C-alpha cells in the first residue's frame, strides 16, 4: 500500500503552515522548538483556536510544580466539554446512520441535545452523582453516543467497555472503576447473527443495568434493572455540571 503524501495545496493550508506563516517561522524544526520552549504561549494558542466553551477560564495555561512530569493544566478553569459539542444549529444533522433494519436515518443536533439532557436528568433522579463511574457496554450507535455525552453532562465518569469483551473482562473493569450503574442494549447483530448483550452484562452483577431495547423484543430483566424507555424522565432541564478540565 502506498503512503499518502500531501500535495502542496494541502501543505500550504494546514494549520501548522498557517501558524508558521503567522509567526514567521521558515521551517518545521524551528516552529517545533518554539512550541516546547514557549509551551505556555503555544498551548494558549491551541486552545484559543478551538471552539471550547469554558464556564470559568483558566488563570494560565499550565503551572509547573517541580518538573515537566508534574504539570497542572488550565488551573482554576471550569468547563463541561458537552457544552462545546452543541454549537451547531438545531436542525443540522448530528448523525446519519443505518438502523437495525438497514434504513438510512438521521438525528439532528437539536434531537441529540434533548436526548442527552433527558438521560442526564434521569441519571440524577436515579441517584447518580457527579464523580460517580457509570458503565457503558453498547455498539457504536446514536443512543450510545447520547448516553456517553449525558454521563459527562451530569458530571459522571464514563467507563466504556467494548461489547466484544467477555463477561469476566467486563466485570473486572467495572470492579476496578467501582461501577454501580451500567447502560447496555438487549442484543447486538454481528454477521447476520444476533447475540444477547444484556445477558453477558448481567453476569457482572452490577447494582443496576439500564437496557436499550431498540428492537422491542421481550427482555428477561432482573428485578433491579429497567428498560431505557422506562428509565427516561420526561423532564430534560439540567444544567451541565462544570468540572476541572483535567
Amino acid at each position: 500500500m502506498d503512503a499518502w503524501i500531501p500535495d502542496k495545496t494541502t501543505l500550504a493550508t494546514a494549520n501548522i503552515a498557517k501558524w508558521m506563516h503567522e509567526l514567521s517561522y521558515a521551517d518545521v524544526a524551528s516552529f517545533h522548538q518554539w512550541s516546547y520552549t514557549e509551551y505556555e504561549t503555544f498551548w494558549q494558542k491551541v486552545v484559543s483556536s478551538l471552539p471550547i466553551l469554558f464556564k470559568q477560564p483558566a488563570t494560565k495555561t499550565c503551572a509547573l510544580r517541580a518538573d515537566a512530569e508534574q504539570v497542572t493544566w488550565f488551573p482554576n478553569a471550569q468547563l463541561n466539554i458537552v457544552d462545546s459539542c452543541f454549537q451547531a444549529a438545531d436542525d443540522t444533522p448530528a448523525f446519519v446512520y443505518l438502523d437495525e433494519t438497514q434504513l438510512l436515518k438521521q438525528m439532528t443536533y437539536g434531537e441529540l441535545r434533548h436526548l442527552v439532557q433527558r438521560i442526564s436528568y434521569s441519571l440524577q433522579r436515579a441517584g447518580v452523582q457527579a464523580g460517580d463511574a457509570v458503565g457503558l457496554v453498547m455498539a457504536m450507535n446514536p443512543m450510545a453516543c447520547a448516553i456517553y455525552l449525558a454521563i459527562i453532562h451530569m458530571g459522571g465518569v464514563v467507563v466504556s467497555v467494548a461489547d466484544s469483551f467477555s463477561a469476566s473482562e467486563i466485570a473486572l473493569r467495572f470492579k476496578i472503576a467501582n461501577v454501580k450503574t451500567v447502560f447496555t442494549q438487549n442484543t447486538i447483530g454481528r454477521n447476520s447473527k444476533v447475540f444477547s448483550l444484556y445477558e453477558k452484562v448481567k453476569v457482572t452483577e452490577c447494582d443496576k443495568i439500564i437496557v436499550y431495547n431498540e428492537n422491542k423484543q421481550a427482555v428477561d430483566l432482573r428485578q433491579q434493572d429497567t428498560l431505557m424507555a422506562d428509565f427516561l424522565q420526561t423532564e430534560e432541564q439540567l444544567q451541565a455540571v462544570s468540572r476541572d478540565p483535567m
Side-chain angles (χ1 to χ4, degrees), residues 16 37 40 69 78 80 87 90 104 121-122 138 154-155 158 167 176 194 198 227 234 238:
I16 288 179
T37 55
E40 189 165 353
E69 294 183 355
Q78 291 287 302
N80 189 303
Q87 300 185 62
D90 277 357
L104 186 65
Y121 180 80
S122 302
M138 293 180 65
M154 56 75 58
V158 182
I176 292 170
V194 177
Y198 171 60
L227 294 176
T234 55
L238 176 65

PDB file of all heavy atoms in Angstrom, residues 16 37 40 69 78 80 87 90 104 121-122 138 154-155 158 167 176 194 198 227 234 238:
ATOM      1  N   ILE A  16      -0.552  23.958  10.800  1.00  0.00           N
ATOM      2  CA  ILE A  16       0.844  24.251  11.134  1.00  0.00           C
ATOM      3  C   ILE A  16       1.415  25.274  10.154  1.00  0.00           C
ATOM      4  O   ILE A  16       2.128  26.204  10.556  1.00  0.00           O
ATOM      5  CB  ILE A  16       1.684  22.961  11.139  1.00  0.00           C
ATOM      6  CG1 ILE A  16       1.333  22.104  12.352  1.00  0.00           C
ATOM      7  CG2 ILE A  16       3.177  23.284  11.143  1.00  0.00           C
ATOM      8  CD1 ILE A  16       2.103  20.800  12.436  1.00  0.00           C
ATOM      9  N   THR A  37       9.679  25.339  23.812  1.00  0.00           N
ATOM     10  CA  THR A  37      10.360  26.325  24.668  1.00  0.00           C
ATOM     11  C   THR A  37       9.388  27.397  25.155  1.00  0.00           C
ATOM     12  O   THR A  37       9.507  27.895  26.274  1.00  0.00           O
ATOM     13  CB  THR A  37      11.534  26.980  23.925  1.00  0.00           C
ATOM     14  OG1 THR A  37      11.060  27.545  22.696  1.00  0.00           O
ATOM     15  CG2 THR A  37      12.633  25.967  23.639  1.00  0.00           C
ATOM     16  N   GLU A  40       3.736  27.491  27.027  1.00  0.00           N
ATOM     17  CA  GLU A  40       2.521  28.106  27.543  1.00  0.00           C
ATOM     18  C   GLU A  40       1.840  28.951  26.470  1.00  0.00           C
ATOM     19  O   GLU A  40       0.622  28.892  26.289  1.00  0.00           O
ATOM     20  CB  GLU A  40       2.823  28.962  28.773  1.00  0.00           C
ATOM     21  CG  GLU A  40       1.562  29.438  29.460  1.00  0.00           C
ATOM     22  CD  GLU A  40       1.805  29.976  30.858  1.00  0.00           C
ATOM     23  OE1 GLU A  40       2.938  29.870  31.354  1.00  0.00           O
ATOM     24  OE2 GLU A  40       0.840  30.494  31.446  1.00  0.00           O
ATOM     25  N   GLU A  69       7.000  16.526  34.524  1.00  0.00           N
ATOM     26  CA  GLU A  69       6.059  15.439  34.785  1.00  0.00           C
ATOM     27  C   GLU A  69       5.009  15.822  35.805  1.00  0.00           C
ATOM     28  O   GLU A  69       4.098  15.052  36.082  1.00  0.00           O
ATOM     29  CB  GLU A  69       6.831  14.189  35.249  1.00  0.00           C
ATOM     30  CG  GLU A  69       7.736  13.604  34.168  1.00  0.00           C
ATOM     31  CD  GLU A  69       8.426  12.338  34.628  1.00  0.00           C
ATOM     32  OE1 GLU A  69       8.262  11.978  35.811  1.00  0.00           O
ATOM     33  OE2 GLU A  69       9.127  11.711  33.811  1.00  0.00           O
ATOM     34  N   GLN A  78     -12.979  25.889  34.729  1.00  0.00           N
ATOM     35  CA  GLN A  78     -14.151  25.043  34.900  1.00  0.00           C
ATOM     36  C   GLN A  78     -14.868  24.948  33.557  1.00  0.00           C
ATOM     37  O   GLN A  78     -15.052  25.952  32.869  1.00  0.00           O
ATOM     38  CB  GLN A  78     -15.094  25.624  35.954  1.00  0.00           C
ATOM     39  CG  GLN A  78     -14.569  25.576  37.384  1.00  0.00           C
ATOM     40  CD  GLN A  78     -14.595  24.168  37.951  1.00  0.00           C
ATOM     41  OE1 GLN A  78     -15.636  23.522  38.016  1.00  0.00           O
ATOM     42  NE2 GLN A  78     -13.431  23.681  38.373  1.00  0.00           N
ATOM     43  N   ASN A  80     -17.652  22.039  31.090  1.00  0.00           N
ATOM     44  CA  ASN A  80     -18.197  20.730  30.771  1.00  0.00           C
ATOM     45  C   ASN A  80     -18.106  20.623  29.257  1.00  0.00           C
ATOM     46  O   ASN A  80     -18.731  21.398  28.529  1.00  0.00           O
ATOM     47  CB  ASN A  80     -19.647  20.585  31.239  1.00  0.00           C
ATOM     48  CG  ASN A  80     -20.131  19.147  31.108  1.00  0.00           C
ATOM     49  OD1 ASN A  80     -20.098  18.567  30.026  1.00  0.00           O
ATOM     50  ND2 ASN A  80     -20.556  18.560  32.213  1.00  0.00           N
ATOM     51  N   GLN A  87     -22.817  23.434  19.382  1.00  0.00           N
ATOM     52  CA  GLN A  87     -22.734  24.793  18.875  1.00  0.00           C
ATOM     53  C   GLN A  87     -23.299  24.922  17.461  1.00  0.00           C
ATOM     54  O   GLN A  87     -23.352  26.016  16.909  1.00  0.00           O
ATOM     55  CB  GLN A  87     -21.288  25.283  18.929  1.00  0.00           C
ATOM     56  CG  GLN A  87     -20.713  25.292  20.338  1.00  0.00           C
ATOM     57  CD  GLN A  87     -19.324  25.878  20.403  1.00  0.00           C
ATOM     58  OE1 GLN A  87     -19.101  27.033  20.087  1.00  0.00           O
ATOM     59  NE2 GLN A  87     -18.360  25.064  20.823  1.00  0.00           N
ATOM     60  N   ASP A  90     -29.809  23.690  15.560  1.00  0.00           N
ATOM     61  CA  ASP A  90     -30.580  22.522  15.984  1.00  0.00           C
ATOM     62  C   ASP A  90     -30.981  21.613  14.825  1.00  0.00           C
ATOM     63  O   ASP A  90     -31.127  20.404  15.008  1.00  0.00           O
ATOM     64  CB  ASP A  90     -31.838  22.965  16.738  1.00  0.00           C
ATOM     65  CG  ASP A  90     -31.563  23.267  18.204  1.00  0.00           C
ATOM     66  OD1 ASP A  90     -30.403  23.076  18.640  1.00  0.00           O
ATOM     67  OD2 ASP A  90     -32.488  23.696  18.912  1.00  0.00           O
ATOM     68  N   LEU A 104     -31.847   4.093   6.285  1.00  0.00           N
ATOM     69  CA  LEU A 104     -30.997   5.263   6.477  1.00  0.00           C
ATOM     70  C   LEU A 104     -31.766   6.313   7.270  1.00  0.00           C
ATOM     71  O   LEU A 104     -32.851   6.735   6.877  1.00  0.00           O
ATOM     72  CB  LEU A 104     -30.565   5.839   5.123  1.00  0.00           C
ATOM     73  CG  LEU A 104     -29.542   6.984   5.172  1.00  0.00           C
ATOM     74  CD1 LEU A 104     -28.211   6.487   5.735  1.00  0.00           C
ATOM     75  CD2 LEU A 104     -29.344   7.575   3.775  1.00  0.00           C
ATOM     76  N   TYR A 121     -30.660  14.130  33.119  1.00  0.00           N
ATOM     77  CA  TYR A 121     -31.623  14.406  34.190  1.00  0.00           C
ATOM     78  C   TYR A 121     -32.095  13.105  34.836  1.00  0.00           C
ATOM     79  O   TYR A 121     -32.218  13.011  36.062  1.00  0.00           O
ATOM     80  CB  TYR A 121     -32.810  15.178  33.615  1.00  0.00           C
ATOM     81  CG  TYR A 121     -33.884  15.513  34.634  1.00  0.00           C
ATOM     82  CD1 TYR A 121     -33.734  16.583  35.505  1.00  0.00           C
ATOM     83  CD2 TYR A 121     -35.050  14.753  34.710  1.00  0.00           C
ATOM     84  CE1 TYR A 121     -34.716  16.896  36.435  1.00  0.00           C
ATOM     85  CE2 TYR A 121     -36.040  15.051  35.637  1.00  0.00           C
ATOM     86  CZ  TYR A 121     -35.868  16.125  36.495  1.00  0.00           C
ATOM     87  OH  TYR A 121     -36.837  16.416  37.418  1.00  0.00           O
ATOM     88  N   SER A 122     -32.320  12.090  34.019  1.00  0.00           N
ATOM     89  CA  SER A 122     -32.788  10.793  34.535  1.00  0.00           C
ATOM     90  C   SER A 122     -31.740  10.144  35.428  1.00  0.00           C
ATOM     91  O   SER A 122     -32.073   9.520  36.441  1.00  0.00           O
ATOM     92  CB  SER A 122     -33.145   9.866  33.372  1.00  0.00           C
ATOM     93  OG  SER A 122     -34.148  10.445  32.547  1.00  0.00           O
ATOM     94  N   MET A 138     -22.099  -0.985  24.793  1.00  0.00           N
ATOM     95  CA  MET A 138     -23.043  -0.930  23.680  1.00  0.00           C
ATOM     96  C   MET A 138     -22.296  -0.902  22.361  1.00  0.00           C
ATOM     97  O   MET A 138     -21.091  -0.611  22.321  1.00  0.00           O
ATOM     98  CB  MET A 138     -23.938   0.321  23.786  1.00  0.00           C
ATOM     99  CG  MET A 138     -24.890   0.319  24.959  1.00  0.00           C
ATOM    100  SD  MET A 138     -25.921   1.803  25.042  1.00  0.00           S
ATOM    101  CE  MET A 138     -26.914   1.641  23.529  1.00  0.00           C
ATOM    102  N   MET A 154     -23.786  15.305  33.260  1.00  0.00           N
ATOM    103  CA  MET A 154     -24.197  15.389  34.663  1.00  0.00           C
ATOM    104  C   MET A 154     -23.019  15.230  35.631  1.00  0.00           C
ATOM    105  O   MET A 154     -23.190  15.118  36.840  1.00  0.00           O
ATOM    106  CB  MET A 154     -25.300  14.377  34.983  1.00  0.00           C
ATOM    107  CG  MET A 154     -25.027  12.909  34.687  1.00  0.00           C
ATOM    108  SD  MET A 154     -23.919  12.054  35.851  1.00  0.00           S
ATOM    109  CE  MET A 154     -24.797  12.310  37.374  1.00  0.00           C
ATOM    110  N   GLY A 155     -21.796  15.232  35.086  1.00  0.00           N
ATOM    111  CA  GLY A 155     -20.611  15.211  35.929  1.00  0.00           C
ATOM    112  C   GLY A 155     -20.070  13.836  36.238  1.00  0.00           C
ATOM    113  O   GLY A 155     -19.163  13.695  37.059  1.00  0.00           O
ATOM    114  N   VAL A 158     -17.382   8.218  32.554  1.00  0.00           N
ATOM    115  CA  VAL A 158     -17.769   7.129  31.647  1.00  0.00           C
ATOM    116  C   VAL A 158     -16.742   6.003  31.717  1.00  0.00           C
ATOM    117  O   VAL A 158     -15.542   6.236  31.553  1.00  0.00           O
ATOM    118  CB  VAL A 158     -17.879   7.623  30.193  1.00  0.00           C
ATOM    119  CG1 VAL A 158     -18.341   6.472  29.284  1.00  0.00           C
ATOM    120  CG2 VAL A 158     -18.813   8.808  30.082  1.00  0.00           C
ATOM    121  N   ALA A 167     -17.776 -11.588  29.581  1.00  0.00           N
ATOM    122  CA  ALA A 167     -18.423 -11.147  30.814  1.00  0.00           C
ATOM    123  C   ALA A 167     -17.394 -10.931  31.925  1.00  0.00           C
ATOM    124  O   ALA A 167     -17.481  -9.968  32.692  1.00  0.00           O
ATOM    125  CB  ALA A 167     -19.466 -12.164  31.247  1.00  0.00           C
ATOM    126  N   ILE A 176     -12.788  -2.567  39.027  1.00  0.00           N
ATOM    127  CA  ILE A 176     -11.674  -1.628  39.203  1.00  0.00           C
ATOM    128  C   ILE A 176     -12.190  -0.197  39.300  1.00  0.00           C
ATOM    129  O   ILE A 176     -11.711   0.602  40.116  1.00  0.00           O
ATOM    130  CB  ILE A 176     -10.672  -1.752  38.029  1.00  0.00           C
ATOM    131  CG1 ILE A 176      -9.963  -3.112  38.088  1.00  0.00           C
ATOM    132  CG2 ILE A 176      -9.657  -0.613  38.052  1.00  0.00           C
ATOM    133  CD1 ILE A 176      -9.138  -3.421  36.866  1.00  0.00           C
ATOM    134  N   VAL A 194     -27.439 -12.699  15.799  1.00  0.00           N
ATOM    135  CA  VAL A 194     -27.881 -11.839  16.902  1.00  0.00           C
ATOM    136  C   VAL A 194     -27.393 -12.428  18.218  1.00  0.00           C
ATOM    137  O   VAL A 194     -27.573 -13.623  18.487  1.00  0.00           O
ATOM    138  CB  VAL A 194     -29.421 -11.708  16.922  1.00  0.00           C
ATOM    139  CG1 VAL A 194     -29.861 -10.874  18.115  1.00  0.00           C
ATOM    140  CG2 VAL A 194     -29.912 -11.072  15.621  1.00  0.00           C
ATOM    141  N   TYR A 198     -27.196  -8.014  26.851  1.00  0.00           N
ATOM    142  CA  TYR A 198     -27.667  -7.850  28.233  1.00  0.00           C
ATOM    143  C   TYR A 198     -27.349  -9.066  29.087  1.00  0.00           C
ATOM    144  O   TYR A 198     -26.923  -8.939  30.250  1.00  0.00           O
ATOM    145  CB  TYR A 198     -29.172  -7.569  28.253  1.00  0.00           C
ATOM    146  CG  TYR A 198     -29.788  -7.599  29.626  1.00  0.00           C
ATOM    147  CD1 TYR A 198     -29.368  -6.722  30.628  1.00  0.00           C
ATOM    148  CD2 TYR A 198     -30.791  -8.518  29.939  1.00  0.00           C
ATOM    149  CE1 TYR A 198     -29.928  -6.767  31.903  1.00  0.00           C
ATOM    150  CE2 TYR A 198     -31.361  -8.560  31.204  1.00  0.00           C
ATOM    151  CZ  TYR A 198     -30.923  -7.681  32.186  1.00  0.00           C
ATOM    152  OH  TYR A 198     -31.481  -7.726  33.443  1.00  0.00           O
ATOM    153  N   LEU A 227     -35.735  -0.982  31.530  1.00  0.00           N
ATOM    154  CA  LEU A 227     -35.587  -0.652  30.127  1.00  0.00           C
ATOM    155  C   LEU A 227     -35.330   0.852  29.981  1.00  0.00           C
ATOM    156  O   LEU A 227     -35.800   1.654  30.784  1.00  0.00           O
ATOM    157  CB  LEU A 227     -36.833  -1.039  29.339  1.00  0.00           C
ATOM    158  CG  LEU A 227     -37.152  -2.525  29.233  1.00  0.00           C
ATOM    159  CD1 LEU A 227     -38.471  -2.729  28.502  1.00  0.00           C
ATOM    160  CD2 LEU A 227     -36.032  -3.284  28.533  1.00  0.00           C
ATOM    161  N   THR A 234     -39.451  12.546  31.660  1.00  0.00           N
ATOM    162  CA  THR A 234     -39.953  13.474  30.642  1.00  0.00           C
ATOM    163  C   THR A 234     -39.237  14.814  30.716  1.00  0.00           C
ATOM    164  O   THR A 234     -39.116  15.512  29.714  1.00  0.00           O
ATOM    165  CB  THR A 234     -41.468  13.695  30.819  1.00  0.00           C
ATOM    166  OG1 THR A 234     -41.731  14.136  32.160  1.00  0.00           O
ATOM    167  CG2 THR A 234     -42.228  12.400  30.575  1.00  0.00           C
ATOM    168  N   LEU A 238     -31.502  20.294  32.852  1.00  0.00           N
ATOM    169  CA  LEU A 238     -30.442  20.127  33.837  1.00  0.00           C
ATOM    170  C   LEU A 238     -29.194  20.772  33.270  1.00  0.00           C
ATOM    171  O   LEU A 238     -28.714  20.400  32.195  1.00  0.00           O
ATOM    172  CB  LEU A 238     -30.173  18.648  34.120  1.00  0.00           C
ATOM    173  CG  LEU A 238     -29.007  18.352  35.066  1.00  0.00           C
ATOM    174  CD1 LEU A 238     -29.318  18.882  36.464  1.00  0.00           C
ATOM    175  CD2 LEU A 238     -28.705  16.869  35.123  1.00  0.00           C
TER     176      LEU A 238
END
